[in-house]
Amino acid sequence: MSRTEKYQQEFIVFQEELKSYIYRLVTHKQETEDIAQETYIKTFRNLGSFKENAAFKTWVFAIATNLAKDSLRARERWGEDWMELVKDAHVENRQLLQKKFEISRTSEHGKFVIREHISYCLNCISKTLLLTDQICLLLKEIYGFKVREIMVITGLTEGKVKHTLADARNNMTRIFEKKCALINKKGICHQCTGLNKRFNPKQDTQIELNRIKMVKEARNKNYGQLLQLRFQLAQNVDPLNAEGMDLHNYLIENSPDWAKTQLAKKSKIS
C-alpha cells in the first residue's frame, strides 16, 4: 500500500466527523460539502509536506479550519440577542412559521427532537463567540482534541489556547444561565418545549426531558457543570445526520438574515 493510499483510508475513517466540525463552524450545508471537498483535495495535493510531527487527522483538521476561517472572514459575528429576534420575526411573519411547518411535515429529516434541539442551541450560542474561541471550544469539547493538538490546528501557543478555552466556557455559561428556561426558571428561552408542542406534539415533552441527563441533574449542578453536560449531549448528535437535520439546517442557515431584518426594523422605528 502506498503512502497516499494509507492516508486516503485514514481520511475515510474520520471524514464524517470532519464534516460535522466544518458544519458547526459555517452552519451551511452546501458550504460544508464544498469545504470538505476542498480539504480533501488540498490534503492530498500537499501530502508531501506532511512531516508526521502530528497525527494525520490533526493536520487535516488544521487545513479544514483555515479554509472555514477564510470562508467566515467577511461574516458578522452572531449577536447574543439574535435568537430572540428570530423568534420575533416568526411571530410577525406567518409565512416564515408556515415554512417550518412545511419542512416538518414533508422532509424525511424534518422531525423535531428535543435532544437534537439542545445540540442545535449549543451551536447557535457558540456562534456568538469570537471565531478563535469557537474553534478551540469545538475542537476540545465536541471533538476531543488535546490542547497540544489544538495548538497545531490553530497555531496558538499553549497559554493562548488555555486562556481562549476558559474565556469561551465562561461566556457560554453566562449566556446559557441568562437564556435557558429549560433548566432555569429565570431563563427567557422556551424554544425546546415550545417548538416541541408545535412540531412534534406526539413526543411527550416531560418524558423526553427526563431522559436527558442535563435536565435531570439541573438542581444538583452549577452552570459550568451543566455546560459540560451539554457538550456531552452534542458529542452524540451528528448535525448532518440527525432526525431533524433539515428543520434545524433551515433555521440555522437563515437565522442571521432574519435577525438582521428585525434589527433594521427596530432601527427605523427608533
Side-chain angles (χ1 to χ4, degrees):
M1 182 188 297
S2 69
R3 186 172 186 259
T4 298
E5 289 172 331
K6 171 193 169 185
Y7 284 122
Q8 283 174 333
Q9 289 188 5
E10 193 171 333
F11 191 99
I12 290 170
V13 171
F14 61 76
Q15 67 177 348
E16 292 306 314
E17 185 181 10
L18 178 71
K19 279 186 181 181
S20 78
Y21 166 67
I22 295 168
Y23 180 76
R24 281 186 163 114
L25 286 176
V26 301
T27 55
H28 191 283
K29 192 175 179 181
Q30 186 55 56
E31 191 174 354
T32 295
E33 292 294 336
D34 293 343
I35 292 175
Q37 179 65 18
E38 192 174 352
T39 299
Y40 180 86
I41 293 170
K42 194 166 184 178
T43 294
F44 289 99
R45 183 183 292 154
N46 297 288
L47 190 60
S49 66
F50 175 49
K51 304 302 182 185
E52 302 184 358
N53 296 325
F56 177 65
K57 178 180 175 181
T58 302
W59 187 64
V60 173
F61 267 71
I63 293 172
T65 298
N66 286 328
L67 290 171
K69 285 169 67 177
D70 288 343
S71 180
L72 291 165
R73 203 174 302 280
R75 292 194 210 168
E76 186 179 348
R77 180 178 166 190
W78 284 36
E80 290 184 17
D81 62 341
W82 277 19
M83 289 302 95
E84 284 78 50
L85 292 170
V86 167
K87 181 192 71 175
D88 292 344
H90 284 75
V91 169
E92 294 174 13
N93 189 336
R94 183 72 184 175
Q95 289 182 325
L96 293 182
L97 189 60
Q98 217 41 53
K99 176 66 175 177
K100 288 199 290 189
F101 276 115
E102 182 183 330
I103 294 170
S104 182
R105 284 196 307 266
T106 62
S107 172
E108 183 181 353
H109 301 286
K111 185 177 179 181
F112 181 83
V113 180
I114 290 178
R115 178 181 301 274
E116 292 178 8
H117 191 75
I118 292 172
S119 175
Y120 155 81
C121 180
L122 180 77
N123 206 154
C124 288
I125 299 300
S126 74
K127 295 287 286 180
T128 69
L129 303 175
L130 293 169
L131 182 55
T132 300
D133 291 21
Q134 185 190 4
I135 288 169
C136 289
L137 193 71
L138 288 175
L139 290 170
K140 178 72 167 61
E141 302 297 351
I142 307 297
Y143 297 95
F145 284 93
K146 295 179 173 59
V147 168
R148 65 177 180 274
E149 294 169 326
I150 298 173
M151 291 166 59
V152 173
I153 293 170
T154 61
L156 300 174
T157 64
E158 180 179 1
K160 183 62 176 175
V161 169
K162 289 180 177 178
H163 180 74
T164 297
L165 286 168
D167 277 353
R169 289 192 192 101
N170 287 338
N171 279 315
M172 293 286 282
T173 299
R174 172 183 58 78
I175 295 168
F176 273 122
E177 186 173 3
K178 178 178 66 176
K179 288 189 182 295
C180 184
L182 188 64
I183 54 176
N184 181 1
K185 291 180 181 179
K186 296 179 182 178
I188 60 175
C189 179
H190 295 266
Q191 277 197 30
C192 292
T193 52
L195 291 175
N196 185 66
K197 288 176 184 176
R198 284 179 178 269
F199 294 99
N200 195 5
K202 291 181 180 179
Q203 177 178 249
D204 187 295
T205 304
Q206 201 54 50
I207 290 175
E208 186 63 22
L209 290 176
N210 285 338
R211 292 174 177 158
I212 298 172
K213 188 176 181 181
M214 181 190 76
V215 180
K216 288 193 296 185
E217 298 191 10
R219 293 182 180 179
N220 304 316
K221 304 287 186 184
N222 62 43
Y223 265 82
Q225 292 169 323
L226 291 172
L227 178 63
Q228 202 60 43
L229 291 177
R230 278 187 170 89
F231 291 139
Q232 290 176 15
L233 182 150
Q235 287 168 6
N236 295 311
V237 175
D238 180 350
L240 287 168
N241 292 287
E243 290 183 85
M245 191 275 154
D246 290 339
L247 179 61
H248 281 132
N249 181 65
Y250 169 70
L251 292 173
I252 207 165
E253 281 192 4
N254 291 285
S255 285
D257 287 340
W258 291 330
K260 289 174 187 177
T261 298
Q262 288 300 111
L263 283 171
K265 285 182 181 179
K266 288 189 175 186
S267 178
K268 285 182 179 178
I269 293 172
S270 61

